[in-house]
């Protein structure tokens, strides 16, 4: 029976960093009879992107049966006896502001249902990395601003405060589908600042010697100044729907940070700074950008706001961290 280790989220919790390390070790892993499957492979001609579709398909659908059988057959054709699959979109897209949703990943159980179905052919080891709710919301907000969000942080928080963000829901779902015993859930704080070789082998359940020696990077963090600039540009609809244009600006702003440091901009500097980054804004619109930049709400919790936001989760977080399948100490998320 093949062993399937499957890392499936959550977003903004070190997935890119983990995947970069695994890709750098892909050859060494394959020599140890371990096949790595990342987003590129899962979206390719072999898997056809089917795995990320499962979370959208009704349990009783014939299409679901077809996709499950196709994936099962394809995995069985992998020459290695052990497979690592890593793709955070398997349980759902990155949570955004939208109506009618009660949890951040309301369709996660549809993918876990398929894992339960495959238990008869594969030895399945689910893996998750999560963050404390407040830090997760701050990171989600920053990323959505980069993608064009124009809402204020307080509006974003107000929306997410209506959701159930108790990570114990993951444990309940894993238990329901008989997957909990071989699962590991790890808070990002557990591995933050540590070398990959100090935590990845234990997290995945693979011997340290099977990994290659590699130094890898991760996503660049935007400075507060640059986050504010993106938000200000979002307010005038700059590059709406143009991901490539926003990606280029982000790259240029990261480069500018080497010469400009992390200082804030004065009103008179904003136009020149944007021009240096390759963005030219008409004079009338530039006034709106300047006002938005200077008036942007702080994109993170105040000390008091953090305590208020986390209060409903205090007991739930203690129960979650105390669970045997969670790699953490019970006091890890104390404020």
């Amino acid at each position: 029976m093949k062993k399937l280790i499957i890392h499936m989220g959550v977003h903004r919790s070190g997935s890119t960093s983990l995947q970069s390390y695994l890709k750098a070790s892909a050859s060494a892993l394959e020599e140890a009879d371990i096949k790595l499957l990342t987003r590129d492979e899962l979206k390719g001609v072999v898997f056809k992107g089917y795995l990320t579709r499962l979370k959208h398909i009704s349990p009783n659908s014939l299409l679901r049966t077809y996709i499950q059988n196709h994936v099962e057959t394809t995995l069985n054709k992998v020459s290695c006896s052990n497979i690592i699959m890593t793709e955070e979109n398997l349980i759902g897209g990155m949570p955004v502001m939208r109506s009618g949703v009660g949890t951040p990943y309301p369709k996660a159980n549809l993918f876990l249902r398929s894992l339960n179905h495959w238990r008869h052919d594969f030895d399945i080891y689910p893996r998750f990395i999560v963050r404390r709710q407040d830090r997760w919301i701050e990171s989600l907000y920053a990323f959505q601003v980069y993608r064009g969000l124009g809402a204020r942080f307080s509006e974003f928080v107000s929306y997410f405060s209506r959701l159930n963000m108790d990570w114990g829901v993951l444990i309940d779902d894993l238990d329901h589908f008989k997957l909990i015993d071989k699962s590991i859930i790890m808070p990002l704080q557990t591995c933050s600042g540590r070398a990959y070789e100090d935590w990845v082998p234990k997290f995945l359940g693979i011997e340290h010697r099977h990994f290659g020696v590699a130094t890898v990077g991760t996503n660049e963090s935007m400075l507060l100044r640059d986050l504010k600039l993106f938000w200000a540009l979002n307010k005038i609809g700059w590059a709406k729907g143009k991901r490539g244009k926003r990606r280029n600006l982000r790259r240029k702003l990261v480069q500018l940070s080497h010469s400009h440091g992390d200082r804030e901009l004065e009103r008179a500097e904003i136009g020149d700074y944007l021009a240096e980054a390759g963005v030219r804004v008409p004079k009338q619109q530039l006034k709106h950008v300047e006002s938005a930049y200077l008036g942007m709400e702080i994109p993170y919790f105040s000390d008091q706001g953090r305590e208020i936001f986390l209060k409903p989760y205090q007991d739930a977080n203690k129960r979650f961290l105390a669970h045997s399948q969670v790699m953490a100490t019970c006091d890890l998320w104390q404020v």
Side-chain angles (χ1 to χ4, degrees), residues 226 229-230 232-233 236 238 249 252-253 256 265 269-281 285-286 289-290 293:
D226 298 336
L229 279 172
F230 261 97
L233 289 168
I236 64 168
W238 179 85
L249 175 58
K252 290 178 181 177
L253 291 178
L256 287 177
L265 299 173
E269 298 177 294
I270 295 174
D272 291 338
Y273 186 78
L274 286 173
E276 191 176 351
V279 177
R280 299 199 175 273
V281 181
Q285 286 190 317
L286 180 58
V289 172
E290 292 169 347
Y293 175 90

Side-chain angles (χ1 to χ4, degrees), residues 4 6-9 42 49-57 59 64 67-68 71 75 85-92 105-118 124 126-128 173-174 177 179:
L4 177 59
I6 180 162
H7 164 243
M8 60 193 93
L42 298 179
Y50 280 167
L51 280 111
T52 55
R53 292 180 62 185
L54 286 168
K55 62 182 177 290
H56 298 301
I57 303 174
R64 184 180 188 88
I67 289 178
Q68 286 182 161
V71 171
L75 288 172
M85 187 184 298
T86 172
E87 162 63 285
E88 60 271 34
N89 288 311
L90 296 173
I91 59 170
Y105 294 99
K107 298 179 180 180
N109 63 345
L110 288 174
F111 182 75
L112 295 180
R113 180 182 294 272
S114 291
L115 287 187
N116 179 58
H117 175 77
W118 293 324
I124 297 177
R127 297 291 185 265
F128 291 90
D173 285 345
L174 289 166
F177 290 108
L179 297 165

Side-chain angles (χ1 to χ4, degrees), residues 5 7 34 39 42 57 59 72 78 131 134 147 184 192 196 200-201 209 227 238 242 251 266-267 276 302 313:
I5 304 164
H7 164 243
I34 304 168
R39 182 172 300 177
L42 298 179
I57 303 174
E72 186 174 358
V78 173
R131 300 179 77 165
D134 57 327
R147 297 184 69 175
I184 290 180
S192 182
Y196 297 102
V200 174
R209 62 189 176 89
L227 184 68
W238 179 85
K242 298 178 180 178
R251 188 181 303 117
E266 301 291 337
R267 180 183 287 270
E276 191 176 351
S302 65
Y313 296 107

Side-chain angles (χ1 to χ4, degrees), residues 109-240:
N109 63 345
L110 288 174
F111 182 75
L112 295 180
R113 180 182 294 272
S114 291
L115 287 187
N116 179 58
H117 175 77
W118 293 324
R119 284 192 309 118
H120 304 292
D121 274 351
F122 303 98
D123 201 8
I124 297 177
Y125 294 77
R127 297 291 185 265
F128 291 90
I129 303 177
V130 301
R131 300 179 77 165
R132 195 176 72 182
Q133 292 85 355
D134 57 327
R135 297 298 187 190
W136 193 53
I137 291 300
E138 290 170 341
S139 185
L140 284 174
Y141 179 74
F143 190 81
Q144 293 302 336
V145 167
Y146 159 61
R147 297 184 69 175
L149 181 68
R152 293 183 177 275
F153 182 67
S154 58
E155 295 171 327
F156 197 75
V157 171
S158 177
Y159 170 77
F160 277 89
S161 67
R162 298 195 294 271
L163 306 186
N164 176 16
M165 290 190 293
D166 174 7
W167 292 122
V169 171
L170 286 178
I171 291 175
D172 293 341
D173 285 345
L174 289 166
D175 187 43
H176 176 75
F177 290 108
K178 299 179 175 60
L179 297 165
I180 189 64
D181 289 344
K182 295 180 179 178
S183 297
I184 290 180
I185 305 175
M186 184 181 71
L188 181 63
Q189 195 174 342
T190 301
C191 63
S192 182
R194 297 171 61 193
Y196 297 102
E197 56 268 24
D198 291 340
W199 65 272
V200 174
K202 184 177 180 181
F203 174 62
L204 296 180
I206 295 174
E207 291 184 38
H208 182 279
R209 62 189 176 89
H210 295 325
F211 290 89
V213 178
T215 301
V216 299
T218 183
N219 287 336
E220 293 275 3
S221 297
M222 275 197 294
L223 298 174
L224 176 59
R225 173 190 65 220
D226 298 336
L227 184 68
K228 290 170 65 175
L229 279 172
F230 261 97
W231 189 78
L233 289 168
N234 292 343
K235 301 302 284 185
I236 64 168
W238 179 85
K240 185 177 181 180

